Amino acid sequence: MLICSSPLKADELNVLRAQYEKEGEFVGVQTKFNYAWGLVKSSTRSEQQEGVRLLSEIFRNAPERRRECLYYLALGNFKLGNYAEARRYNDLLLDHEPANLQAGSLRGLIDDKVAKDGLMGVAILSGVAIAAGVVGGILLRGSKRR
């Protein structure tokens, strides 16, 4: 599994949150990154969303910090089920660091999840098509008997 997928303890996240809130409107990029990192690691969806939002702000506003945001943006989007976004950020990281083991591992997880979801979608559509065929056949037989 992912090296950084285990959430922080509540008190650890609270330390990061307190520092972030203490700095207020003048929050430093490193403090914001640390808090976003802790949020992305959370098992709570709303915290993961907030972490991705903060990382996206850093990615947009601090070009010198983009590379270090890429993995956590990919991970956060993966955890939220945004697989296209996760793949986009992860591929950007792998373009710069092809030997990055965490990013390589995450790529495999993204690909597996997309393939599994794709197969699930095909199975659902196949089931719907079969059901429609059965219903259509029954209706057709019924109309021929009259």
Side-chain angles (χ1 to χ4, degrees), residues 2 4 32-33 36-41 47-63 65-93 102-103 106 110:
L2 299 172
C4 61
K32 185 185 267 190
F33 179 85
W37 166 81
L39 291 169
V40 164
K41 290 177 56 120
E47 289 181 342
Q48 294 166 357
Q49 290 170 325
E50 178 66 4
V52 167
R53 186 188 69 74
L54 293 173
L55 286 167
S56 295
E57 286 178 10
I58 296 168
F59 189 81
R60 274 192 312 275
N61 300 327
R65 302 297 292 266
R66 285 184 178 154
R67 191 202 56 74
E68 62 190 304
C69 290
L70 288 172
Y71 178 76
Y72 293 102
L73 280 166
L75 178 65
N77 278 290
F78 175 78
K79 290 174 83 172
L80 292 168
N82 303 329
Y83 304 122
E85 282 296 292
R87 177 177 278 145
R88 185 172 73 87
Y89 286 119
N90 201 57
D91 285 350
L92 281 171
L93 178 56
Q102 282 184 310
L106 183 55
I110 294 167

